[in-house]
Amino acid sequence: MPDAPAPPPQTVFLHIGAPKSGTTFVQGVLWRNAELLAEHGVVMPGGSFGAHVAATRDLRGLRPEPDDPAPDWDGAWDGLVDKIKESAGRVAVISNEVLAATNADQVKRAVDSLAPAEVHVIYSARDLGSLLPSEWQEYVKHRFHFAFEKWLSEVVDGPRDEAAGEWFWRVHDIPEVLGRWAAVVPPDRIHVLTMPRPGSPPTLLWERFASLIGVDPELVDLSEARTNSSLSWTETELLRRLNQAIDEDAPMWLYHQLVTDVLALKVLPGRGAPGRVPLPADRREWAARKSESLVTAVRDGGYDVVGDLDELLAAPVPATEPAAAPGDPELLDAATHTILGLLDRISMLRTEIGDLHKERSEQRTTALPKLMARHMSERSQAVWKMRVGYWHLVERIKGVEPPALPAPGDAEAADDTEATEEETGPALSSRTANTTASR
């Protein structure tokens, strides 16, 4: 009997960034709909965005900081690749914007490890005029404490391999980034995904991405898609000044946990006066010229363009941009509202901790079968009905007319029914006898 034909090799899309080009939005859509996408043949290996972050760190040869409580990522890239090869999906997607920073050897290792899969690269790009302020804001979210002009001078005027310019151009110099991948991936399998300009339909970026991975864009729910919280100029300046006051000895992993993930992403947005950081007028001509050179390089490189390269050229300056940097009154107002936001969060955390202590105490004093039934009934109406029905049956067997059926989902009422059975002991026997005599 002849052997069954081998399945065709999978297609793997490496969404390599770039940072600040809608990657958070796309990743949010992918992960919120991972199960649904898997049903249509698109696999998100590893089970979480964190798995892709760990794999990228491993691929780039990074090492954890001392005392970093995060799990070690040694071997995470090969583990992610193994999950892809074990899956039955026709397509797999790895998405992490820091993949844009991989060097030539790391790029080759990534592609070789995925063989015999057909590897495609997706690089999302944005116009420099809006990218530069947005990237400075991201630097501030990661502990940078210099003003925008200082950062711009390092990126635009300084050496490309030093200070802020080193990272910026490593991930945003389109011909350089794509050239590293084009050494091992054919140009027609390298896709430049242009970021739509403000005012475009909010679904457009996802529609473009979905067309690449071969899924109907309307298949997924976009209503709760996560975006990277954007800070206003006032909020960014407040965070920058906070960075100046933070102890230099504080480890970066702790800064990320408290400042980046909590303050910058969850508490600070919306606390200060609105208005995004504008690109200074004397830098706009340079940004326009540089954008044109980047667009020309994409055209000459023969890469597949998904979108419109004109979206990477200089965009009109929004009329809502602030005319001047925020002063101390604006910062004080933002700081006051930020403190209130932190107090709200502390109150919420205190409530959650109290609930956890209550649950822990309950676990210590309640028999495991009863505890399992209680938690299951809180999540399933069918289990709740069976639980209440059981105790009512026990009551009737003993000659006691049970109380009215609690409202569906009323776990506390069901607990009261159990308490009657467990706690009233002799009184229950007396009640049963009286009820029997009256009949």
Side-chain angles (χ1 to χ4, degrees):
M1 181 176 179
D3 293 335
Q10 291 172 303
T11 300
V12 178
F13 286 91
L14 299 177
H15 183 207
I16 66 170
K20 308 306 297 179
S21 61
T23 52
T24 301
F25 168 74
V26 171
Q27 289 157 358
V29 175
L30 291 170
W31 286 111
R32 281 188 175 276
N33 298 275
E35 292 186 6
L36 181 62
L37 290 170
E39 294 174 3
H40 290 77
V42 178
V43 175
M44 298 293 296
S48 70
F49 174 67
H52 291 201
V53 171
T56 301
R57 289 173 176 172
D58 177 44
L59 178 65
R60 295 182 61 218
L62 304 181
R63 290 292 174 261
E65 288 184 276
D67 301 323
D68 188 343
D72 187 12
W73 49 76
D74 187 41
W77 177 264
D78 289 337
L80 201 65
V81 169
D82 289 342
K83 291 185 181 300
I84 292 174
K85 293 182 177 181
E86 294 167 0
S87 72
R90 59 176 178 81
V91 168
V93 177
I94 298 176
S95 179
N96 188 328
E97 56 272 28
V98 184
L99 281 168
T102 47
N103 62 34
D105 290 339
Q106 294 159 357
V107 165
K108 187 175 187 305
R109 178 195 165 194
V111 175
D112 288 348
S113 68
L114 290 164
E118 180 179 285
V119 175
H120 288 243
V121 175
I122 303 175
Y123 179 90
S124 46
R126 179 180 182 179
D127 72 282
L128 276 176
S130 63
L131 173 65
L132 287 162
S134 185
E135 266 288 20
W136 172 68
Q137 180 188 105
E138 197 66 18
Y139 269 66
V140 174
K141 289 180 182 178
H142 290 76
R143 208 168 178 168
F144 193 81
H145 59 80
F146 292 112
F148 188 29
E149 281 290 356
K150 167 70 173 175
W151 182 87
L152 272 177
S153 67
E154 292 182 357
V155 170
V156 177
D157 305 321
R160 290 167 58 100
D161 59 348
E162 295 180 8
E166 180 180 10
W167 174 260
F168 182 87
W169 293 116
R170 183 159 191 80
V171 296
H172 291 297
D173 188 327
I174 302 177
E176 180 182 315
V177 174
L178 299 188
R180 295 195 293 266
W181 290 91
V184 288
V185 177
D188 62 331
R189 285 199 253 139
I190 297 177
H191 313 280
V192 178
L193 181 69
T194 62
M195 185 174 177
R197 285 183 174 161
S200 302
T203 60
L204 183 54
L205 182 63
W206 166 248
E207 290 169 1
R208 292 174 177 177
F209 191 94
S211 71
L212 282 172
I213 64 174
V215 298
D216 181 353
E218 297 184 359
L219 179 70
V220 304
D221 178 13
L222 299 181
S223 61
E224 297 183 7
R226 184 175 69 94
T227 58
N228 201 348
S229 301
S230 181
L231 300 179
S232 70
W233 197 354
T234 301
E235 294 154 0
T236 307
E237 179 63 16
L238 178 62
L239 181 59
R240 185 183 74 83
R241 295 197 186 187
L242 173 68
N243 290 343
Q244 291 176 327
I246 290 177
D247 191 332
E248 293 182 357
D249 294 333
M252 275 301 296
W253 63 263
L254 182 61
Y255 178 91
H256 285 311
Q257 283 189 357
L258 298 179
V259 182
T260 305
D261 295 344
V262 177
L263 181 65
L265 296 181
K266 297 178 181 178
V267 177
L268 193 53
R271 304 286 176 179
R276 295 189 176 186
V277 181
L279 185 66
D282 60 350
R283 297 291 189 178
R284 290 172 189 165
E285 183 180 350
W286 172 88
R289 292 197 310 269
K290 185 62 177 177
S291 296
E292 290 175 358
S293 70
L294 294 176
V295 166
T296 299
V298 172
R299 288 197 179 104
D300 294 345
Y303 306 116
D304 175 49
V305 176
V306 183
D308 187 347
L309 285 178
D310 286 346
E311 292 171 325
L312 304 185
L313 300 176
V317 179
T320 56
E321 286 186 351
D328 288 346
E330 291 84 3
L331 294 176
L332 178 59
D333 182 70
T336 301
H337 286 88
T338 300
I339 291 172
L340 292 174
L342 287 170
L343 291 175
D344 285 341
R345 188 163 188 85
I346 290 171
S347 175
M348 179 186 68
L349 291 174
R350 286 171 63 91
T351 300
E352 290 180 359
I353 291 172
D355 291 342
L356 289 173
H357 281 306
K358 180 179 178 181
E359 183 175 338
R360 184 177 181 183
S361 176
E362 178 186 66
Q363 290 172 351
R364 289 174 174 173
T365 59
T366 306
L368 182 60
K370 177 182 173 183
L371 187 65
M372 292 177 62
R374 182 177 300 170
H375 285 296
M376 289 178 65
S377 67
E378 291 173 354
R379 294 165 174 78
S380 170
Q381 188 178 71
V383 175
W384 173 84
K385 288 182 177 179
M386 291 175 61
R387 181 180 166 203
V388 174
Y390 167 76
W391 291 113
H392 281 195
L393 177 61
V394 170
E395 291 269 271
R396 288 192 174 95
I397 290 175
K398 294 181 176 181
V400 179
E401 186 61 29
L405 191 69
D410 190 347
E412 291 186 3
D415 291 341
D416 290 343
T417 305
E418 292 183 38
T420 301
E421 177 67 21
E422 294 178 348
E423 298 170 3
T424 56
L428 178 60
S429 299
S430 175
R431 178 183 172 191
T432 303
N434 291 338
T435 304
T436 305
S438 67
R439 291 180 179 175

